[in-house]
Amino acid sequence: MSSKTFPSVVALVFALALLAGCAKAPQETVDAAKAAVEAAKAAEADRYLADQFNAAQDSLNAAMAEIEAQNSKFALTRNYDRAKAQLESAISAANAAKDGVAAKKEEVKAEAQNLLTSAQAAVEETKKLMAKAPRGKEGKQALEQMQAELSGVESSLAEANNALGAGDFLGARDKAKAAMDKATALGQELNEAIAKTKRR
């Protein structure tokens, strides 16, 4: 190698080394994104703000796939810019989801409490209708079936109250809503039976 070409070769090797050094996977950002998603999950964002949480998880998954794709390339052609952007998006979405959980929980809690109150009122109304319902052989069997279903509704309401007390507001809301729907359906059925008897 001539003395004239030696500096050029050294410069080229230096430049290549510099490029290789710049093309490393953004491990710190990966760790930060994973931690942010885990923190959001620990705050129950996956239950109460599922869309936002899933967006964070999807961004993290996409970033990891992109990193894998870049890792499989020749070192000098690797570029992690897209993965970094996806990771930062994941961090932002996860933090937003985590920060929004408390307000969402309060909203769901209030909804569950209102549904419990309404469902309990529907149960009481259904009991009154059962007292007015037509008896007779067929009527008796139907009323026994309805009474069993109403007992199931009351059990669901007790479970909803327990869930509310345990801080499972989503569970409480869902159980209260199901109980409310069932009690309302029973009430409608009884009203129809009573109205039919009056028309005779």
Side-chain angles (χ1 to χ4, degrees):
M1 183 180 300
S2 72
S3 60
K4 290 183 180 177
T5 56
F6 182 72
S8 299
V9 171
V10 170
L12 179 61
V13 169
F14 179 76
L16 292 176
L18 186 63
L19 282 171
C22 290
K24 289 183 179 175
Q27 191 55 50
E28 284 186 13
T29 314
V30 168
D31 293 342
K34 286 182 177 177
V37 169
E38 283 302 312
K41 188 172 184 178
E44 297 188 287
D46 58 327
R47 294 186 68 211
Y48 286 89
L49 290 170
D51 289 346
Q52 289 183 35
F53 177 82
N54 290 337
Q57 185 69 65
D58 289 347
S59 292
L60 177 58
N61 293 342
M64 296 310 293
E66 175 66 13
I67 288 170
E68 277 296 312
Q70 294 300 323
N71 286 345
S72 68
K73 293 181 179 178
F74 180 61
L76 295 179
T77 64
R78 292 175 189 165
N79 184 331
Y80 295 98
D81 289 349
R82 185 178 177 193
K84 286 178 187 172
Q86 290 167 325
L87 290 167
E88 284 163 6
S89 176
I91 292 169
S92 177
N95 287 339
K98 185 185 73 174
D99 293 344
V101 166
K104 186 64 179 178
K105 278 187 172 180
E106 284 303 311
E107 180 186 319
V108 175
K109 180 182 178 182
E111 191 180 352
Q113 288 171 328
N114 288 336
L115 278 167
L116 275 166
T117 301
S118 298
Q120 190 58 55
V123 166
E124 295 305 319
E125 181 61 26
T126 302
K127 286 180 177 177
K128 290 177 185 174
L129 290 170
M130 288 187 76
K132 299 177 186 174
R135 298 291 194 264
K137 188 177 179 181
E138 291 182 4
K140 184 181 176 184
Q141 284 182 331
L143 284 175
E144 286 174 352
Q145 177 64 33
M146 285 183 170
Q147 182 57 58
E149 292 176 13
L150 193 58
S151 295
V153 169
E154 290 182 300
S155 295
S156 293
L157 285 178
E159 291 172 6
N161 265 314
N162 290 339
L164 191 65
D168 178 9
F169 307 132
L170 275 179
R173 183 192 66 180
D174 293 346
K175 287 179 186 297
K177 175 78 168 55
M180 173 77 180
D181 290 346
K182 186 62 182 175
T184 301
L186 287 171
Q188 287 175 345
E189 194 174 342
L190 285 163
N191 270 323
E192 288 170 8
I194 292 167
K196 189 175 178 182
T197 303
K198 286 180 178 176
R199 287 196 295 269
R200 288 178 182 167

